[in-house]
Amino acid sequence: MELELRHLKTIRAIADAGSLTRAATALGLAQPALSAQLRRIERALGGALFERGRHGVRTTALGELVLERTRIVLPAVSDLQREAARFARTRRDGERLRLGATHGPLLGALVDRLADAAPGTAVTTCASWSERELAELLAEGRLDFVLTGTCGSAPPPECPHLVWEEIAVDPVFVMLADGHRLARGREVDLAALADEEFACVPGDGCFADCFTAACARAGFTPRRMYETDTASCVHLVQVGRAVGLCRATFPPTPGLSVRPLSGTPLSWRHLLGWHPAAQQPDTATTVLSEARAAHASAAAAGAGHRGATRPTGAAAAPTRTGAAGSITSGQGVG
C-alpha cells in the first residue's frame, strides 16, 4: 500500500484525539474500520505508530517521527492548494480587479483612473474600516489589491507573503467648521484644541494611541473621540460638535475649513498591498502607478491643504509582512 495524504491526516487525528474511539468519532468512521486502516498504515510504514492502553493511545518513537513529518507535509500541501487555486482564479478571471480599501477618496479616484488606463478591466470594490480584515481577504485571494495605511512609521497589516508599497505620506490635518475661532489661520496648534471634542473614522491600527500621545505632549487629554463613518464625522464638524481629523486627500467640503497642525505632530502613510503570487508584475506596476497619481490629484484638489505631503517614487522598496498581529483603533478621515 502506498502512503497517501489521507493516511497522514488519520495519524494526526488519532494523535490529537488520544484514543481510537475519539478519533473515529472525529473522522466519522466506525472504530473497527479505523483500527483496520491504522494496521494497514503501520504495515506500510514498517512498525507500530501507537501503543494502545486502557487510557487511550500513546505514540511510539516511529510514531513521533511520522507525526513530526506530518506537521510539515500537511500544512505545505494546504499552502500549495491555496496558491494553486489563487493562481487558477487569476488566470480564469482574466481582466478583473477586486480592490479593497479603508475609508477615503483614494479608492474612487483609483477606480476612475483604472477605467482610463485599463478600459477592458472590470473593477469591483470592497470597503472596510479594518486594515486587518482587508489584509486577510487579500491573503486569502478574495481581493487583488488593497488601499490602506498606517500611522506614521507603524508597520503595515501583518499577513504572511503580502507585499506593501508606499504610495505617499500625508500630515494629519484638522477639519473645522467655517465659523470656528481657529478656521482663519494658516495652521492650528494642537494645544489650542485642548477644550474640543474630536471625530475620526475607526480603524484597528495605532492612530488613536498616537493621537492621545500627541495631545499629551501638547499638555492635555482629549475630552472625547467620536469614532464613526465619514459622513457623520463631517456632520459633527459642520454643526460645531467636534473637530475632525483628516489627511491631505480630504476633498473640499462646504461648511468646512481644513488646516494643518503646527509642527506636523501626526502623519499617515498610504499603502498599496497585494499577493505577489497572484499578480503579474506589470499589473502591480500599473495599479501602483495609478494609485500614486490618484493620491497626487486628490491632494492637489484639496483647497487649503498645505504641508508635508511626501509622494513616493516608483523605486520605493516593498515591505513584506510576516505572522499575523496588530494593535488598537482610529485612523482619521480622508
Side-chain angles (χ1 to χ4, degrees):
M1 181 187 77
E2 292 187 0
L3 199 64
E4 302 176 11
L5 283 176
R6 62 187 179 91
H7 298 142
L8 297 182
K9 292 177 181 178
T10 296
I11 295 169
R12 186 178 65 181
I14 295 171
D16 290 344
S19 80
L20 289 176
T21 301
R22 289 193 292 270
T25 300
L27 293 169
L29 299 173
Q31 182 175 332
L34 179 59
S35 297
Q37 185 180 98
L38 177 59
R39 286 194 295 271
R40 291 194 295 272
I41 294 171
E42 289 176 329
R43 283 198 298 270
L45 290 172
L49 302 179
F50 299 96
E51 294 176 352
R52 285 75 163 175
R54 293 173 55 189
H55 302 292
V57 297
R58 185 175 60 183
T59 53
T60 63
L62 176 60
E64 286 292 341
L65 172 66
V66 173
L67 276 174
E68 181 182 344
R69 299 297 189 272
T70 296
R71 294 186 185 105
I72 297 171
V73 171
L74 290 180
V77 172
S78 295
D79 285 346
L80 173 61
Q81 290 174 327
R82 283 193 294 269
E83 294 289 343
R86 184 183 292 112
F87 185 86
R89 266 198 311 273
T90 303
R91 303 283 80 74
R92 182 176 64 249
D93 293 343
E95 300 299 317
R96 185 182 79 161
L97 286 177
R98 298 161 299 172
L99 305 180
T102 48
H103 301 278
L106 277 188
L107 178 59
L110 178 57
V111 170
D112 182 46
R113 294 191 65 88
L114 288 174
D116 292 332
T121 300
V123 179
T124 59
T125 60
C126 170
S128 171
W129 61 263
S130 171
E131 300 97 333
R132 186 185 300 119
E133 177 188 20
L134 290 171
E136 290 172 353
L137 292 173
L138 190 60
E140 293 168 1
R142 296 165 63 185
L143 291 174
D144 296 311
F145 293 91
V146 161
L147 282 169
T148 186
T150 64
C151 177
S153 59
E158 295 185 2
C159 266
H161 312 305
L162 301 183
V163 167
W164 297 95
E165 282 274 9
E166 188 176 284
I167 297 170
V169 177
D170 285 344
V172 173
F173 293 168
V174 289
M175 295 186 296
L176 306 167
D178 280 344
H180 194 282
R181 58 188 173 83
L182 299 174
R184 297 183 180 277
R186 292 181 58 85
E187 59 182 26
V188 175
D189 191 333
L190 184 57
L193 300 172
D195 294 330
E196 303 285 351
E197 296 180 353
F198 294 88
C200 70
V201 297
D204 48 18
C206 62
F207 182 84
D209 290 341
C210 292
F211 175 68
T212 301
C215 293
R217 291 192 296 272
F220 72 97
T221 299
R223 292 172 55 196
R224 180 176 297 172
M225 173 66 79
Y226 298 101
E227 290 188 336
T228 184
D229 61 276
T230 301
S232 296
C233 285
V234 169
H235 175 75
L236 289 171
V237 175
Q238 288 172 327
V239 300
R241 179 63 61 186
V243 169
L245 302 173
C246 66
R247 300 185 289 274
T249 49
F250 188 77
T253 304
L256 296 185
S257 297
V258 177
R259 297 291 181 265
L261 287 168
S262 303
T264 314
L266 292 164
S267 63
W268 184 261
R269 187 161 60 118
H270 297 274
L271 299 171
L272 180 73
W274 67 91
H275 196 302
Q279 299 301 328
Q280 296 291 344
D282 57 343
T283 302
T285 298
T286 296
V287 176
L288 178 61
S289 175
E290 296 301 330
R292 287 173 173 161
H295 174 275
S297 297
H305 292 191
R306 302 291 183 264
T309 296
R310 176 169 60 84
T312 302
T319 301
R320 291 182 181 273
T321 65
S326 190
I327 37 187
T328 53
S329 67
Q331 64 176 29
V333 179

